């Protein structure tokens, strides 16, 4: 409840959260919100202009752009969230084990992370795609294989900071089991770090998914995806620019709101940042009042 109250106090965070929730709902219930079948081909409507029946017009095969945009939420956003959850889950488990138990377990896990992180993300993804073949499923597998090591290293660092505190040492001395200490004392204090780094990674993953689909390595026709819609509209980008504006604007908006929400979530989860933000606002308001009083006095 405290986190929700802090988010509601930030107007930008609240707007971002509303846009994210609407996008997720629209993606889940795409058949309900979609006015037409996104894969229905009507060559008589090829490159048709926007109308009341087709609000965003039709593409090179006469398909409804709005319907394809709505269905594109699933691979562009929803599947990204699923892969992010899997990556964070794997990284969190290994990060907690490495950061809490230390020793040889920590050394082995960190050496594996070093190997995974020694390769650039795009190169690793291209290697996985080259082995498994093109397609959305293979890109998602590549992302899960790449991202977990990054999450594991960051979460390990966060866990190590708290395991040295006195109340953790007291819990160990009192005879509590390792699992109870991790669940009762470590997970609650590291949750904010996990939530922030997870939300901060969504935007980049959406861009990467769209980028691979734009290059023809992601989801394949006739399925709808925002990056692939940009690729299909390249040939008419000067004569029919609105075909690129719709998916491009969707990518920009959803990545922006996730980034805005990530920044606001970091503030909402950290009481120190909330207090400093309120203090700065108070000082700013106080300085404005002083300026106005000086103007009146003059």
């Amino acid at each position: 409840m405290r986190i929700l109250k802090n988010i509601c106090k930030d107007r930008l965070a609240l707007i971002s959260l509303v846009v994210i929730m609407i996008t997720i709902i629209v993606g889940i219930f795409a058949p309900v919100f979609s006015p037409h079948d996104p894969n229905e081909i009507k060559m008589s409507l090829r490159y048709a202009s926007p109308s009341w029946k087709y609000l965003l017009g039709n593409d090179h095969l006469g398909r409804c752009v709005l319907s394809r945009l709505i269905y594109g939420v699933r691979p562009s956003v929803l599947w990204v969230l699923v892969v992010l959850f899997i990556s964070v889950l794997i990284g969190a488990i290994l990060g907690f084990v490495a950061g809490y138990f230390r020793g040889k377990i920590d050394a082995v896990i960190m050496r594996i992370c070093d190997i995974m992180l020694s390769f650039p993300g795009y190169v690793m993804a291209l290697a996985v795609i080259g082995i498994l073949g093109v397609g959305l499923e293979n890109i998602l597998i590549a992302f899960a294989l790449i991202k977990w090591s990054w999450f594991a290293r960051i979460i390990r660092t966060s866990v190590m900071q708290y395991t040295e505190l006195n109340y953790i040492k007291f819990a160990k001395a009192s005879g509590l089991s390792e699992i109870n200490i991790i669940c009762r004392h470590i997970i609650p204090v590291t949750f904010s770090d996990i939530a922030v780094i997870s939300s901060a990674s969504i935007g980049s993953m959406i861009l990467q998914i769209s980028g691979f689909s734009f290059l023809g390595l992601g989801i394949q026709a006739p399925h709808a995806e925002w990056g692939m819609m940009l690729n299909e509209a390249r040939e008419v980008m000067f004569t029919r620019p609105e075909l690129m504006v719709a998916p491009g604007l969707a990518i920009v908006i959803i990545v922006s709101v996730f980034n805005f929400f990530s920044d606001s979530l970091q503030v909402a989860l950290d009481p120190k940042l909330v207090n400093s933000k309120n203090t700065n606002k108070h000082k700013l308001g106080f300085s404005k009042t002083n300026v106005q009083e000086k103007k009146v006095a003059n």
Side-chain angles (χ1 to χ4, degrees):
M1 290 300 294
R2 178 183 61 83
I3 298 173
L4 185 59
K5 288 180 180 179
N6 292 335
I7 292 176
C8 292
K9 292 178 182 178
D10 190 340
R11 185 176 301 176
L12 183 59
L14 185 59
I15 294 174
S16 300
L17 180 60
V18 170
V19 173
I20 291 171
M21 295 305 299
I22 291 175
T23 303
I24 293 174
I25 292 173
V26 169
I28 294 174
F29 301 101
V32 177
F33 293 97
S34 177
H36 302 280
D37 185 354
N39 299 324
E40 184 180 2
I41 298 175
K42 293 183 179 180
M43 296 305 295
S44 59
L45 297 175
R46 187 170 184 264
Y47 293 131
S49 301
S51 60
W52 286 111
K53 188 175 182 180
Y54 298 95
L55 296 178
L56 295 180
N58 303 76
D59 63 4
H60 64 293
L61 295 177
R63 297 172 298 188
C64 177
V65 175
L66 178 59
S67 299
R68 294 183 64 77
L69 196 69
I70 292 174
Y71 272 85
V73 174
R74 291 182 171 182
S76 299
V77 180
L78 298 186
W79 281 112
V80 169
L81 295 176
V82 173
V83 173
L84 179 68
F85 175 78
I86 296 173
S87 302
V88 171
L89 182 62
I90 297 173
I93 293 173
L94 296 178
F96 275 106
V97 171
Y100 184 82
F101 293 102
R102 312 283 183 91
K104 294 182 179 180
I105 297 177
D106 180 26
V108 171
I109 294 176
M110 287 302 102
R111 295 300 76 77
I112 296 174
C113 290
D114 290 340
I115 295 172
M116 298 298 296
L117 295 173
S118 62
F119 298 97
Y122 279 104
V123 175
M124 194 73 174
L126 289 173
V128 174
I129 294 171
I131 296 172
L132 300 179
V134 299
L136 179 64
E137 297 85 359
N138 297 333
I139 290 181
L140 297 177
I141 293 173
F143 280 2
L145 292 175
I146 296 168
K147 295 292 184 180
W148 73 264
S149 56
W150 185 73
F151 289 121
R153 180 170 287 277
I154 295 178
I155 294 171
R156 167 187 174 267
T157 304
S158 178
V159 171
M160 289 177 65
Q161 294 175 353
Y162 294 104
T163 52
E164 297 298 328
L165 297 179
N166 291 329
Y167 74 94
I168 299 296
K169 295 179 179 179
F170 178 78
K172 292 180 180 179
S174 62
L176 284 178
S177 64
E178 309 292 352
I179 296 178
N180 285 334
I181 294 174
I182 293 175
C183 294
R184 293 183 181 181
H185 301 294
I186 304 295
I187 292 180
V189 294
T190 57
F191 174 76
S192 59
D193 297 334
I194 297 174
V196 170
I197 63 174
S198 302
S199 59
S201 302
I202 298 175
S204 62
M205 292 181 67
I206 292 174
L207 288 176
Q208 290 172 1
I209 286 284
S210 300
F212 280 118
S213 296
F214 180 80
L215 296 174
L217 300 175
I219 191 169
Q220 301 298 302
H223 302 290
E225 200 276 333
W226 294 345
M228 189 177 65
M229 292 176 67
L230 286 173
N231 186 22
E232 293 173 345
R234 282 190 305 168
E235 298 179 359
V236 292
M237 62 182 299
F238 296 109
T239 57
R240 295 296 308 278
E242 65 271 14
L243 293 179
M244 294 194 73
V245 169
L249 194 61
I251 294 173
V252 171
I253 291 175
I254 196 64
V255 171
S256 298
V257 297
F258 270 115
N259 289 335
F260 290 144
F261 182 72
S262 174
D263 294 338
S264 302
L265 185 62
Q266 183 177 9
V267 176
L269 291 172
D270 193 340
K272 296 180 181 178
L273 294 178
V274 174
N275 295 332
S276 63
K277 187 175 181 181
N278 294 333
T279 302
N280 292 334
K281 287 183 178 180
H282 177 72
K283 290 181 178 179
L284 181 61
F286 184 72
S287 61
K288 288 181 179 180
T289 303
N290 289 340
V291 171
Q292 292 176 356
E293 290 178 352
K294 289 180 180 179
K295 287 182 179 180
V296 173
N298 293 332

